[in-house]
Coordinates of all heavy atoms in Angstrom, one line a residue:
M1 N 15.9 -37.4 93.9 CA 17.3 -36.7 94.1 C 18.4 -37.7 94.6 O 19.5 -37.7 94.2 CB 17.1 -35.6 95.0 CG 18.3 -34.7 95.2 SD 18.7 -33.8 93.7 CE 20.0 -32.7 94.2
N2 N 17.9 -38.5 95.5 CA 18.8 -39.5 96.1 C 19.3 -40.5 95.1 O 20.4 -40.9 95.1 CB 18.2 -40.1 97.3 CG 19.2 -40.8 98.2 OD1 20.4 -40.6 98.1 ND2 18.7 -41.7 99.1
K3 N 18.5 -41.1 94.2 CA 18.9 -41.9 93.2 C 19.9 -41.4 92.2 O 20.9 -42.0 91.8 CB 17.6 -42.3 92.4 CG 16.8 -43.4 93.2 CD 15.7 -43.8 92.4 CE 14.7 -44.8 93.2 NZ 13.6 -45.3 92.3
I4 N 19.7 -40.1 92.0 CA 20.7 -39.5 91.1 C 22.1 -39.3 91.7 O 23.1 -39.6 91.0 CB 20.2 -38.0 90.6 CG1 18.9 -38.2 89.8 CG2 21.2 -37.2 89.8 CD1 18.2 -36.8 89.4
T5 N 22.1 -39.0 93.0 CA 23.4 -38.9 93.7 C 24.0 -40.2 93.7 O 25.2 -40.4 93.5 CB 23.0 -38.4 95.1 OG1 22.3 -37.2 95.1 CG2 24.3 -38.1 95.9
I6 N 23.3 -41.3 93.9 CA 23.9 -42.6 94.1 C 24.4 -43.1 92.7 O 25.5 -43.7 92.5 CB 22.9 -43.7 94.5 CG1 22.5 -43.4 96.0 CG2 23.4 -45.0 94.4 CD1 21.4 -44.2 96.6
K7 N 23.7 -42.7 91.6 CA 24.2 -43.1 90.2 C 25.4 -42.3 89.9 O 26.4 -42.9 89.4 CB 23.0 -42.8 89.3 CG 22.0 -43.8 89.3 CD 20.9 -43.5 88.3 CE 19.8 -44.4 88.4 NZ 18.7 -44.2 87.3
L8 N 25.5 -41.0 90.3 CA 26.8 -40.2 89.9 C 27.9 -40.6 90.9 O 29.0 -40.7 90.3 CB 26.4 -38.6 90.3 CG 25.5 -38.0 89.3 CD1 25.2 -36.6 89.7 CD2 26.1 -37.9 87.9
F9 N 27.6 -41.0 92.1 CA 28.7 -41.5 92.8 C 29.3 -42.8 92.3 O 30.4 -43.1 92.3 CB 28.2 -41.7 94.3 CG 29.3 -42.1 95.3 CD1 30.3 -41.3 95.6 CD2 29.3 -43.4 95.8 CE1 31.3 -41.7 96.5 CE2 30.2 -43.8 96.6 CZ 31.2 -43.0 97.0
T10 N 28.4 -43.6 91.9 CA 28.7 -44.9 91.3 C 29.5 -44.7 90.0 O 30.6 -45.4 89.7 CB 27.5 -45.9 91.1 OG1 26.7 -46.0 92.3 CG2 27.9 -47.2 90.5
L11 N 29.0 -43.8 89.2 CA 29.8 -43.5 87.9 C 31.2 -43.0 88.3 O 32.2 -43.3 87.6 CB 29.0 -42.5 87.2 CG 29.6 -42.1 85.8 CD1 29.7 -43.2 84.8 CD2 28.7 -40.9 85.1
L12 N 31.2 -42.2 89.3 CA 32.6 -41.5 89.7 C 33.5 -42.6 90.2 O 34.7 -42.5 89.7 CB 32.3 -40.5 90.8 CG 33.6 -39.8 91.3 CD1 34.2 -39.0 90.3 CD2 33.2 -38.9 92.5
I13 N 33.0 -43.6 90.9 CA 33.8 -44.6 91.4 C 34.4 -45.5 90.3 O 35.5 -45.9 90.2 CB 33.1 -45.4 92.5 CG1 32.8 -44.7 93.7 CG2 33.9 -46.7 92.8 CD1 34.0 -44.2 94.5
A14 N 33.3 -45.9 89.3 CA 33.8 -46.6 88.2 C 34.8 -45.9 87.4 O 35.7 -46.7 86.9 CB 32.5 -47.0 87.4
V15 N 34.7 -44.7 87.1 CA 35.6 -44.0 86.2 C 36.9 -43.8 87.0 O 38.0 -44.1 86.3 CB 35.1 -42.5 85.9 CG1 36.1 -41.7 85.2 CG2 33.9 -42.8 84.9
S16 N 36.9 -43.8 88.2 CA 38.2 -43.6 89.0 C 39.0 -45.0 89.0 O 40.1 -44.9 88.8 CB 37.9 -43.1 90.5 OG 37.3 -41.9 90.5
L17 N 38.2 -46.0 89.2 CA 38.8 -47.3 89.3 C 39.4 -47.7 87.9 O 40.3 -48.4 87.8 CB 37.9 -48.4 89.8 CG 37.6 -48.3 91.4 CD1 36.6 -49.2 91.8 CD2 38.8 -48.4 92.1
S18 N 38.7 -47.3 86.9 CA 39.2 -47.8 85.5 C 40.3 -47.0 85.0 O 41.1 -47.5 84.1 CB 37.9 -47.7 84.5 OG 37.7 -46.3 84.3
S19 N 40.5 -45.8 85.6 CA 41.6 -45.0 85.2 C 42.9 -45.2 85.9 O 43.9 -44.7 85.6 CB 41.2 -43.5 85.3 OG 41.0 -43.2 86.6
C20 N 42.8 -46.0 87.0 CA 44.1 -46.3 87.8 C 44.6 -47.7 87.5 O 44.0 -48.7 87.9 CB 43.6 -46.3 89.3 SG 43.0 -44.6 89.8
K21 N 45.6 -47.6 86.7 CA 46.3 -48.8 86.3 C 47.7 -48.5 86.1 O 48.2 -47.3 85.9 CB 45.7 -49.6 85.2 CG 45.8 -48.7 83.9 CD 45.3 -49.5 82.7 CE 45.6 -48.8 81.4 NZ 45.1 -49.6 80.3
I22 N 48.6 -49.6 86.2 CA 50.0 -49.4 86.0 C 50.3 -49.7 84.6 O 49.8 -50.6 83.9 CB 50.7 -50.5 86.9 CG1 50.5 -50.3 88.4 CG2 52.3 -50.4 86.6 CD1 51.1 -51.3 89.3
A23 N 51.1 -48.7 84.0 CA 51.4 -48.9 82.6 C 53.0 -49.2 82.5 O 53.8 -48.6 83.2 CB 51.2 -47.6 81.8
D24 N 53.3 -50.0 81.7 CA 54.7 -50.5 81.5 C 55.2 -49.6 80.2 O 54.8 -49.9 79.1 CB 54.9 -52.0 81.1 CG 56.4 -52.3 81.1 OD1 57.2 -51.5 81.4 OD2 56.6 -53.5 80.9
I25 N 56.0 -48.6 80.4 CA 56.4 -47.7 79.3 C 57.9 -48.0 78.8 O 58.4 -47.2 78.1 CB 56.4 -46.3 79.8 CG1 57.2 -46.0 80.9 CG2 54.9 -45.8 80.1 CD1 57.2 -44.5 81.3
R26 N 58.3 -49.1 79.2 CA 59.6 -49.6 78.7 C 59.6 -49.9 77.2 O 58.6 -50.4 76.8 CB 60.3 -50.8 79.5 CG 60.5 -50.4 81.0 CD 60.9 -51.8 81.7 NE 59.9 -52.8 81.5 CZ 60.1 -53.9 81.9 NH1 61.2 -54.3 82.3 NH2 59.1 -54.9 81.8
T27 N 60.7 -49.7 76.6 CA 60.8 -50.0 75.2 C 60.9 -51.6 75.1 O 61.1 -52.3 76.0 CB 61.9 -49.4 74.4 OG1 63.1 -49.9 75.1 CG2 61.9 -47.9 74.5
S28 N 60.7 -52.1 73.8 CA 60.8 -53.6 73.6 C 62.2 -54.1 73.9 O 62.3 -55.2 74.3 CB 60.3 -53.9 72.2 OG 61.2 -53.3 71.3
I29 N 63.2 -53.3 73.7 CA 64.6 -53.8 74.0 C 64.9 -53.9 75.4 O 65.4 -54.9 75.9 CB 65.7 -52.7 73.4 CG1 65.5 -52.7 71.8 CG2 67.0 -53.1 73.8 CD1 66.3 -51.6 71.2
L30 N 64.3 -52.9 76.2 CA 64.4 -53.1 77.7 C 63.6 -54.2 78.2 O 64.0 -55.0 79.3 CB 64.0 -51.8 78.4 CG 64.9 -50.6 78.2 CD1 64.3 -49.4 78.8 CD2 66.2 -50.9 78.9
K31 N 62.4 -54.6 77.6 CA 61.6 -55.6 78.1 C 62.2 -57.0 77.8 O 62.1 -57.9 78.6 CB 60.2 -55.5 77.5 CG 59.3 -54.5 77.9 CD 58.0 -54.4 77.2 CE 57.2 -53.3 77.6 NZ 55.9 -53.2 76.8
S32 N 62.9 -57.0 76.7 CA 63.6 -58.3 76.3 C 64.9 -58.6 77.2 O 65.3 -59.7 77.2 CB 63.9 -58.3 74.8 OG 65.0 -57.4 74.6
G33 N 65.4 -57.5 77.8 CA 66.6 -57.8 78.7 C 67.8 -57.6 77.9 O 69.0 -57.9 78.4
E34 N 67.9 -57.2 76.6 CA 69.1 -57.1 75.9 C 69.6 -55.6 76.1 O 69.3 -54.7 75.4 CB 68.9 -57.4 74.4 CG 68.4 -58.8 74.2 CD 68.0 -58.9 72.7 OE1 68.3 -58.0 71.9 OE2 67.3 -59.9 72.4
H35 N 70.5 -55.4 77.0 CA 71.0 -54.1 77.3 C 72.4 -54.0 76.7 O 73.3 -53.9 77.5 CB 71.1 -53.9 78.8 CG 69.7 -54.0 79.6 ND1 68.7 -53.2 79.4 CD2 69.3 -55.0 80.4 CE1 67.7 -53.6 80.1 NE2 68.0 -54.7 80.8
T36 N 72.5 -54.0 75.4 CA 73.7 -54.0 74.8 C 74.3 -52.6 74.8 O 75.6 -52.3 74.7 CB 73.6 -54.4 73.3 OG1 72.7 -53.5 72.7 CG2 73.2 -55.9 73.2
D37 N 73.6 -51.6 75.0 CA 74.1 -50.2 75.0 C 74.4 -49.7 76.5 O 74.8 -48.5 76.6 CB 73.0 -49.3 74.4 CG 72.7 -49.4 73.0 OD1 73.7 -49.9 72.3 OD2 71.6 -49.1 72.4
L38 N 74.5 -50.5 77.4 CA 74.8 -50.2 78.7 C 76.2 -49.8 78.8 O 76.6 -48.8 79.4 CB 74.4 -51.4 79.7 CG 74.6 -51.1 81.2 CD1 73.6 -49.9 81.6 CD2 74.3 -52.3 81.9
N39 N 77.2 -50.6 78.1 CA 78.5 -50.2 78.3 C 78.8 -48.9 77.4 O 79.6 -48.1 77.8 CB 79.4 -51.4 77.7 CG 79.3 -52.5 78.6 OD1 79.2 -52.3 79.8 ND2 79.5 -53.7 78.1
K40 N 78.1 -48.7 76.3 CA 78.2 -47.5 75.5 C 77.8 -46.3 76.4 O 78.5 -45.3 76.3 CB 77.3 -47.6 74.3 CG 77.5 -46.4 73.4 CD 76.6 -46.6 72.2 CE 76.7 -45.3 71.3 NZ 75.9 -45.4 70.1
G41 N 76.7 -46.4 77.2 CA 76.2 -45.4 78.0 C 77.2 -45.0 79.2 O 77.5 -43.9 79.4
R42 N 77.8 -46.0 79.7 CA 78.9 -45.8 80.8 C 80.1 -45.1 80.1 O 80.7 -44.2 80.7 CB 79.3 -47.1 81.3 CG 78.2 -47.6 82.3 CD 78.7 -48.9 83.0 NE 77.6 -49.3 83.9 CZ 77.4 -50.6 84.2 NH1 78.2 -51.5 83.7 NH2 76.4 -50.8 85.1
T43 N 80.5 -45.6 79.0 CA 81.6 -44.9 78.3 C 81.5 -43.4 78.0 O 82.2 -42.5 78.2 CB 81.9 -45.6 76.9 OG1 82.1 -47.0 77.2 CG2 83.2 -45.0 76.3
I44 N 80.1 -43.1 77.5 CA 79.8 -41.7 77.2 C 79.9 -40.9 78.5 O 80.2 -39.8 78.6 CB 78.4 -41.6 76.4 CG1 78.5 -42.2 75.0 CG2 77.9 -40.2 76.4 CD1 77.3 -42.4 74.3
L45 N 79.3 -41.4 79.6 CA 79.2 -40.7 80.9 C 80.6 -40.5 81.4 O 80.9 -39.3 81.9 CB 78.4 -41.5 81.9 CG 78.3 -40.9 83.2 CD1 77.4 -39.7 83.1 CD2 77.4 -41.9 84.1
Q46 N 81.5 -41.5 81.3 CA 82.9 -41.3 81.7 C 83.5 -40.2 80.9 O 84.3 -39.4 81.4 CB 83.6 -42.6 81.7 CG 85.0 -42.6 82.3 CD 85.1 -42.2 83.7 OE1 84.1 -42.5 84.5 NE2 86.1 -41.5 84.1
E47 N 83.4 -40.3 79.6 CA 83.9 -39.3 78.7 C 83.5 -37.9 79.1 O 84.3 -36.8 79.0 CB 83.7 -39.6 77.2 CG 84.4 -40.7 76.7 CD 84.1 -41.1 75.3 OE1 83.1 -40.4 74.7 OE2 84.6 -42.1 74.8
S48 N 82.2 -37.7 79.3 CA 81.7 -36.4 79.8 C 82.3 -35.9 80.9 O 82.5 -34.7 81.3 CB 80.1 -36.3 79.8 OG 79.7 -37.3 80.8
V49 N 82.5 -36.9 82.0 CA 83.1 -36.4 83.3 C 84.5 -36.0 83.1 O 84.9 -34.8 83.6 CB 83.1 -37.6 84.3 CG1 84.0 -37.4 85.5 CG2 81.6 -37.9 84.7
I50 N 85.3 -36.6 82.2 CA 86.6 -36.1 82.0 C 86.6 -34.8 81.3 O 87.4 -33.9 81.5 CB 87.3 -37.2 81.2 CG1 87.6 -38.4 82.1 CG2 88.7 -36.7 80.6 CD1 88.1 -39.7 81.4
A51 N 85.7 -34.7 80.2 CA 85.6 -33.6 79.4 C 85.3 -32.2 80.2 O 85.7 -31.0 80.0 CB 84.6 -33.6 78.3
M52 N 84.4 -32.4 81.2 CA 84.0 -31.3 82.1 C 84.9 -31.0 83.2 O 84.8 -30.1 83.9 CB 82.6 -31.5 82.6 CG 81.5 -31.4 81.5 SD 79.8 -31.5 82.2 CE 79.7 -33.4 82.2
G53 N 85.9 -31.9 83.4 CA 86.9 -31.7 84.5 C 86.5 -32.2 85.9 O 87.1 -31.8 86.9
Y54 N 85.4 -32.9 86.0 CA 85.0 -33.4 87.2 C 85.8 -34.4 87.9 O 85.9 -34.5 89.1 CB 83.4 -34.0 87.1 CG 82.4 -33.0 86.8 CD1 81.2 -33.3 86.1 CD2 82.5 -31.7 87.3 CE1 80.3 -32.5 85.9 CE2 81.5 -30.8 87.0 CZ 80.4 -31.1 86.4 OH 79.5 -30.3 86.1
D55 N 86.6 -35.1 87.1 CA 87.6 -35.9 87.7 C 88.7 -35.2 88.5 O 89.3 -35.9 89.3 CB 88.3 -36.9 86.5 CG 89.0 -36.0 85.5 OD1 88.5 -34.8 85.3 OD2 89.8 -36.6 84.8
N56 N 89.0 -34.0 88.2 CA 89.9 -33.2 88.9 C 89.4 -32.6 90.3 O 90.2 -32.2 91.1 CB 90.4 -32.0 88.1 CG 91.2 -32.5 86.8 OD1 91.9 -33.6 87.0 ND2 91.1 -31.7 85.8
L57 N 88.1 -32.7 90.5 CA 87.5 -32.2 91.7 C 88.1 -33.0 93.0 O 88.2 -32.5 94.1 CB 86.1 -32.4 91.7 CG 85.3 -31.3 90.9 CD1 83.8 -31.5 91.0 CD2 85.6 -29.9 91.3
E58 N 88.4 -34.2 92.8 CA 89.0 -35.0 94.0 C 90.4 -34.4 94.4 O 90.9 -34.7 95.5 CB 89.0 -36.5 93.7 CG 90.0 -36.8 92.6 CD 89.9 -38.3 92.2 OE1 89.0 -39.0 92.5 OE2 90.8 -38.7 91.4
N59 N 91.1 -33.7 93.6 CA 92.3 -33.2 94.0 C 92.3 -31.9 94.9 O 93.3 -31.4 95.4 CB 93.1 -32.8 92.7 CG 93.5 -34.0 91.8 OD1 93.6 -35.1 92.3 ND2 93.6 -33.7 90.5
Y60 N 91.0 -31.4 95.0 CA 90.9 -30.1 95.9 C 90.2 -30.5 97.1 O 89.2 -31.4 97.2 CB 90.0 -29.1 95.0 CG 90.7 -28.7 93.7 CD1 90.3 -29.2 92.5 CD2 91.7 -27.8 93.7 CE1 90.9 -28.9 91.4 CE2 92.2 -27.4 92.5 CZ 91.8 -27.9 91.4 OH 92.5 -27.5 90.2
D61 N 90.5 -29.8 98.1 CA 89.8 -29.9 99.4 C 88.6 -29.1 99.4 O 87.6 -29.7 100.0 CB 90.7 -29.4 100.6 CG 92.0 -30.3 100.8 OD1 92.0 -31.5 100.4 OD2 93.0 -29.8 101.3
T62 N 88.6 -27.9 99.0 CA 87.4 -27.1 98.9 C 87.3 -26.4 97.6 O 88.3 -26.2 97.0 CB 87.3 -26.0 100.1 OG1 88.4 -25.2 99.9 CG2 87.2 -26.6 101.4
Y63 N 86.1 -26.0 97.2 CA 86.0 -25.2 96.0 C 84.7 -24.4 96.2 O 83.8 -24.7 96.9 CB 85.8 -26.1 94.7 CG 84.7 -27.1 94.7 CD1 83.4 -26.7 94.1 CD2 84.6 -28.3 95.3 CE1 82.4 -27.5 94.0 CE2 83.6 -29.1 95.3 CZ 82.5 -28.8 94.6 OH 81.4 -29.6 94.5
A64 N 84.7 -23.3 95.5 CA 83.6 -22.4 95.6 C 82.9 -22.1 94.2 O 83.7 -22.1 93.2 CB 84.0 -21.0 96.1
V65 N 81.8 -21.9 94.1 CA 81.0 -21.6 92.9 C 80.2 -20.4 93.2 O 79.5 -20.1 94.1 CB 80.0 -22.8 92.6 CG1 79.1 -22.4 91.4 CG2 80.7 -24.2 92.4
K66 N 80.4 -19.5 92.2 CA 79.7 -18.1 92.2 C 78.7 -18.1 91.0 O 79.2 -18.4 89.9 CB 80.6 -16.9 92.2 CG 79.9 -15.7 92.1 CD 80.8 -14.4 92.1 CE 80.1 -13.2 92.1 NZ 80.8 -12.1 91.9
S67 N 77.4 -18.0 91.3 CA 76.5 -17.9 90.2 C 75.7 -16.6 90.3 O 75.5 -16.1 91.3 CB 75.5 -19.2 90.3 OG 74.9 -19.1 91.6
E68 N 75.2 -16.2 89.1 CA 74.5 -15.0 89.0 C 73.3 -15.3 88.2 O 73.4 -15.7 87.0 CB 75.4 -13.9 88.4 CG 74.7 -12.6 88.4 CD 75.7 -11.4 87.9 OE1 76.9 -11.5 88.1 OE2 75.2 -10.5 87.1
F69 N 72.2 -14.9 88.6 CA 70.9 -15.1 88.0 C 70.4 -13.8 87.4 O 70.4 -12.7 88.1 CB 69.8 -15.8 88.9 CG 70.2 -17.1 89.3 CD1 70.8 -17.3 90.5 CD2 70.0 -18.2 88.5 CE1 71.0 -18.6 91.0 CE2 70.3 -19.5 88.8 CZ 70.9 -19.6 90.2
K70 N 70.0 -13.8 86.2 CA 69.4 -12.6 85.5 C 68.0 -12.9 85.3 O 67.5 -13.5 84.4 CB 70.0 -12.3 84.3 CG 71.5 -12.1 84.2 CD 71.9 -10.7 84.7 CE 73.3 -10.4 84.5 NZ 73.8 -9.1 84.9
W71 N 67.1 -12.4 86.4 CA 65.7 -12.7 86.4 C 65.0 -11.7 85.5 O 65.4 -10.5 85.4 CB 65.1 -12.6 87.8 CG 65.7 -13.7 88.7 CD1 66.6 -13.4 89.7 CD2 65.3 -15.0 88.7 NE1 66.9 -14.7 90.4 CE2 66.1 -15.5 89.7 CE3 64.4 -15.8 88.0 CZ2 66.0 -16.9 90.1 CZ3 64.4 -17.2 88.3 CH2 65.1 -17.7 89.4
K72 N 64.1 -12.1 84.7 CA 63.2 -11.2 83.9 C 62.4 -10.4 85.0 O 62.0 -10.9 86.1 CB 62.3 -12.0 83.0 CG 63.1 -12.9 82.0 CD 63.6 -12.1 81.0 CE 64.3 -13.0 79.9 NZ 64.9 -12.3 79.0
P73 N 61.9 -9.2 84.6 CA 61.1 -8.4 85.7 C 59.9 -9.1 86.2 O 59.6 -9.0 87.4 CB 60.7 -7.2 84.9 CG 61.8 -7.1 83.8 CD 62.1 -8.5 83.5
F74 N 59.2 -9.8 85.4 CA 58.0 -10.5 85.8 C 58.3 -11.6 86.9 O 57.7 -11.6 88.0 CB 57.3 -11.2 84.7 CG 56.1 -12.0 85.1 CD1 54.9 -11.4 85.6 CD2 56.2 -13.4 85.1 CE1 53.9 -12.2 85.9 CE2 55.0 -14.1 85.5 CZ 53.9 -13.5 85.9
W75 N 59.4 -12.4 86.7 CA 59.7 -13.4 87.6 C 60.3 -12.9 88.9 O 60.2 -13.6 90.0 CB 60.6 -14.5 87.0 CG 60.0 -15.1 85.9 CD1 60.2 -15.1 84.5 CD2 58.9 -16.1 86.0 NE1 59.4 -15.8 83.8 CE2 58.6 -16.6 84.7 CE3 58.3 -16.7 87.1 CZ2 57.5 -17.5 84.5 CZ3 57.2 -17.5 86.9 CH2 56.8 -18.0 85.6
S76 N 61.0 -11.8 88.8 CA 61.5 -11.3 90.1 C 60.5 -10.8 91.1 O 60.9 -10.6 92.2 CB 62.6 -10.1 89.7 OG 61.9 -9.1 89.2
M77 N 59.4 -10.4 90.6 CA 58.3 -10.0 91.5 C 57.5 -11.2 92.1 O 56.7 -10.9 92.9 CB 57.3 -9.1 90.7 CG 58.0 -7.8 90.2 SD 56.8 -6.7 89.4 CE 56.4 -7.7 87.9
M78 N 57.7 -12.4 91.7 CA 56.9 -13.5 92.2 C 57.3 -13.8 93.6 O 58.5 -13.9 93.9 CB 57.1 -14.8 91.3 CG 56.7 -14.5 89.8 SD 54.9 -14.3 89.7 CE 54.4 -15.9 89.9
P79 N 56.3 -14.1 94.5 CA 56.7 -14.3 95.9 C 57.2 -15.7 96.1 O 57.8 -16.1 97.1 CB 55.3 -14.3 96.6 CG 54.3 -14.5 95.5 CD 54.9 -14.0 94.2
M80 N 57.1 -16.6 95.0 CA 57.7 -18.0 95.2 C 59.3 -18.0 94.8 O 59.8 -19.2 94.8 CB 56.9 -18.9 94.4 CG 57.0 -18.7 92.9 SD 55.9 -19.9 92.0 CE 56.1 -19.2 90.4
N81 N 59.8 -16.9 94.5 CA 61.1 -16.7 94.1 C 62.1 -17.2 95.2 O 62.2 -16.6 96.2 CB 61.5 -15.4 93.6 CG 62.9 -15.4 92.9 OD1 63.5 -16.3 92.8 ND2 63.1 -14.2 92.4
A82 N 62.7 -18.4 95.0 CA 63.6 -18.9 96.1 C 65.0 -18.1 96.2 O 65.6 -18.1 97.2 CB 63.9 -20.4 95.9
L83 N 65.4 -17.5 95.1 CA 66.6 -16.7 95.1 C 66.3 -15.3 94.7 O 66.4 -14.8 93.5 CB 67.6 -17.3 94.0 CG 68.0 -18.9 94.2 CD1 68.6 -19.4 93.0 CD2 68.8 -19.0 95.4
P84 N 65.9 -14.5 95.7 CA 65.5 -13.1 95.5 C 66.7 -12.2 94.9 O 67.9 -12.5 95.1 CB 65.0 -12.5 96.8 CG 65.7 -13.4 97.7 CD 65.9 -14.8 97.1
G85 N 66.4 -11.2 94.1 CA 67.4 -10.4 93.5 C 68.0 -11.0 92.4 O 67.7 -11.9 91.8
N86 N 69.2 -10.3 91.9 CA 70.0 -10.9 90.8 C 71.0 -11.8 91.3 O 71.8 -11.5 92.1 CB 70.5 -9.8 90.0 CG 69.4 -9.1 89.1 OD1 68.6 -9.7 88.7 ND2 69.7 -7.9 88.8

């Protein structure tokens, strides 16, 4: 019985150590360092800020947001609901 336990423990350690490694999930373009689309991304981000009107927020001292959630009956009964009610 003791030998079986040691073998299982050794197998568990071997599987755990072999499954723990760092993976590089970057694309080949990012690995090569050619970030030609960086300026395009910044341009798109700036255009979206202007289109949504976020650039006008600096003109206001305070602003208020009112949100209303329509919970499905099942989710409104869950105890983990951070925003109870509608």
Side-chain angles (χ1 to χ4, degrees):
M1 184 71 174
N2 194 12
K3 289 184 180 182
I4 294 173
T5 306
I6 292 173
K7 288 181 182 180
L8 286 175
F9 182 72
T10 305
L11 180 65
L12 178 68
I13 294 294
V15 169
S16 296
L17 290 176
S18 67
S19 65
C20 299
K21 65 178 185 175
I22 296 174
D24 190 4
I25 59 172
R26 296 179 297 168
T27 62
S28 59
I29 295 173
L30 288 176
K31 288 179 186 177
S32 67
E34 298 174 12
H35 302 293
T36 57
D37 292 334
L38 189 60
N39 290 332
K40 182 179 178 183
R42 287 185 178 149
T43 304
I44 291 173
L45 184 60
Q46 186 63 30
E47 289 173 359
S48 66
V49 165
I50 292 170
M52 290 185 279
Y54 289 151
D55 56 335
N56 294 328
L57 286 178
E58 62 187 14
N59 299 331
Y60 299 100
D61 292 332
T62 59
Y63 63 95
V65 176
K66 180 180 178 183
S67 62
E68 184 176 327
F69 295 98
K70 301 280 186 183
W71 297 102
K72 302 282 185 190
F74 174 74
W75 292 111
S76 64
M77 294 183 297
M78 298 296 283
M80 63 182 175
N81 188 357
L83 302 169
N86 283 334

